[in-house]
Amino acid sequence: MPPVPPPSTATRLRALYFLYYGNVGTYLPFFAVYLKGLGFTGEQIGLVQMLPSFPLAPLVAIAWATWADHRGTPERALRRATAWVGVAVLLLPFARTPLQVGAVVVLMALGDRAVVPLTDSITIEHCRERPGASYARIRLFGSLGFIVLTVLVGRLLTLRGGRPADLAVPLVVLLCIVGYALVARGIPTTPRHGERPAPRDMLALLGDTRLWSLLGPAALHWASCAPYHLFFGVLVRDLGLPDDVTSAGMALGVVAEIGVLLAYPRLERRFSLRTLLAVSMIASSLRWALTARATGAASVAGLQIIHGLTFGLFWGSAVRALGDLVPQRLRATGQAVFGGIVFGGANAAGYALSGVGYDRLGGAARLFAWAAAVELVALAALLLAGVRARSASLT
């Protein structure tokens, strides 16, 4: 028999996205539930989840991406970052106290927080060099991985009787992370052409006010998503509903996300990026307000279909805006700055406040009502940035 050809770079990227977001599809809805089963308070859950986000996320992501851009080898940086998190996650099933879990997630964050910006920069460059390739179609495998793992893990936990601190959660996270670390080792290094960025180029990027007019509203938007990311699974259990509802809500949301990403090329041709971002924020505020009042399985799960606008429309518009603002030679750094500020700093603040709020407000439902208000602040910041940009263009 002729030898089987090795998987293409695109196939490896699809597999990496699938496993990475499969890990996220397990971690987001079920890790807080697992920690609550270990006896953690809401404040302790929020603190543990915050630790890898800030200040680590911006520093780690930017450090890895700067190294990758300067040396022109994002693939090598990705292999090293994923190897680190693949080793660190081996400790997760053995961590039982807040101090132990916090230490492990910090160790994991030293590699994990660089995975998405590095993978995105490699994928964008791969597609740029191949006119027939599509970033959205490769990235969609991440959404598929999220759905598959969310549904399977939710079903598994339900079949196991909703046990507190079920070890199935950290074990699935471990398998996904080790899997994507092994996949990353097979992504070949491709030569980069053109001038490599100097430190002054990176400083100029950080000083670009147009970039910060995107980062500010985006950070507020993502902070408002923290109650969903951290306590949606807890909300479901607080309402006396099975874990299948958590899985169904998450899966419906990602199905909608896929639909929006597929439709996005047509949307961006018809509407401005600022309009699309505003629609995402308005829809998200409505989503959180309604989720705060929902009590039945169908309503709690069904409302999460708005996730297509909360994330799909937001992410498509943000990636496009970054592509317009960031020079090609700084692509990994630009992705890392965005990820560090939005998915790191803002995420950490949202997690910490959500953890405290869960204890002080008496449950998860009221957190979602506050999230709806924060989303409106994000909308106001976006509109104000637009007014300032138009004023500047007239002077």
Side-chain angles (χ1 to χ4, degrees):
M1 294 179 61
V4 178
S8 66
T9 298
T11 299
R12 292 186 185 277
L13 289 169
R14 293 185 187 103
L16 197 156
Y17 276 120
F18 185 95
L19 290 168
Y20 182 88
Y21 285 101
N23 157 54
V24 175
T26 304
Y27 194 92
L28 277 185
F30 301 117
F31 196 65
V33 175
Y34 170 74
L35 296 181
K36 190 178 181 185
L38 289 175
F40 289 25
T41 66
E43 188 169 352
Q44 289 171 331
I45 293 171
L47 179 60
V48 166
Q49 300 285 61
M50 179 198 76
L51 286 174
S53 296
F54 188 82
L56 278 180
L59 297 176
V60 169
I62 293 172
W64 280 107
T66 300
W67 185 86
D69 277 337
H70 182 68
R71 292 177 177 268
T73 56
E75 295 87 358
R76 186 185 304 171
L78 180 64
R79 288 194 289 271
R80 293 184 178 184
T82 55
W84 176 275
V85 68
V87 172
V89 75
L90 298 176
L91 300 171
L92 188 61
F94 303 101
R96 311 292 290 178
T97 68
L99 181 60
Q100 291 171 350
V101 175
V104 173
V105 297
V106 166
L107 283 174
M108 292 168 57
L110 295 177
D112 173 79
R113 299 296 150 160
V115 173
V116 170
L118 289 171
T119 306
D120 280 347
S121 67
I122 293 167
T123 305
I124 291 169
E125 188 66 18
H126 172 81
C127 295
R128 189 187 69 82
E129 294 178 353
R130 295 162 180 80
S134 165
Y135 167 82
R137 290 182 180 179
I138 294 175
R139 170 59 179 79
L140 283 177
F141 279 78
S143 302
L144 292 173
F146 189 104
I147 292 175
V148 170
L149 269 296
T150 293
V151 171
L152 289 180
V153 173
R155 184 89 285 262
L156 175 64
L157 296 179
T158 298
L159 290 174
R160 289 165 63 86
R163 303 176 189 180
D166 195 325
L167 273 175
V169 174
L171 287 175
V172 172
V173 169
L174 185 155
L175 291 173
C176 287
I177 290 176
V178 171
Y180 74 63
L182 292 174
V183 170
R185 291 180 63 84
I187 296 177
T189 299
T190 55
R192 295 294 189 267
H193 306 287
E195 182 183 356
R196 293 180 181 179
R200 64 178 179 275
D201 296 319
M202 299 172 189
L203 291 175
L205 175 65
L206 294 176
D208 191 336
T209 57
R210 297 174 303 161
L211 178 63
W212 288 99
S213 70
L214 170 66
L215 290 175
L220 287 168
H221 168 73
W222 202 250
S224 79
C225 297
Y228 172 70
H229 293 147
L230 190 59
F231 284 114
F232 181 63
V234 174
L235 171 69
V236 169
R237 287 202 177 184
D238 284 350
L239 293 171
L241 302 172
D243 290 315
D244 281 338
V245 175
T246 301
S247 297
M250 291 276 183
L252 283 172
V254 179
V255 168
E257 171 190 319
I258 292 172
V260 171
L261 287 173
L262 287 172
Y264 187 79
R266 293 192 296 274
L267 293 174
E268 70 174 348
R269 287 195 294 268
R270 296 189 61 185
F271 304 100
S272 70
L273 293 178
R274 197 173 302 277
T275 297
L276 295 175
L277 287 168
V279 170
S280 171
M281 293 171 183
I282 293 169
S284 299
S285 182
L286 179 64
R287 175 191 180 186
W288 306 140
L290 293 176
T291 298
R293 301 177 64 86
T295 56
S299 58
V300 170
L303 283 168
Q304 308 322 311
I305 200 169
I306 304 175
H307 187 74
L309 301 177
T310 299
F311 181 76
L313 191 61
F314 165 75
W315 182 242
S317 302
V319 168
R320 173 58 191 274
L322 281 173
D324 293 342
L325 291 171
V326 178
Q328 179 186 340
R329 66 184 184 279
L330 290 170
R331 197 176 305 281
T333 301
Q335 292 288 140
V337 168
F338 183 87
I341 298 297
V342 177
F343 301 138
N347 201 49
Y351 275 10
L353 292 173
S354 294
V356 173
Y358 181 81
D359 291 335
R360 305 286 172 82
L361 297 175
R366 292 185 180 179
L367 286 176
F368 284 87
W370 278 98
V374 174
E375 196 70 66
L376 293 178
V377 176
L379 175 64
L382 178 73
L383 298 177
L384 180 60
V387 170
R388 288 176 175 174
R390 286 193 294 272
S391 298
S393 67
L394 295 175
T395 59

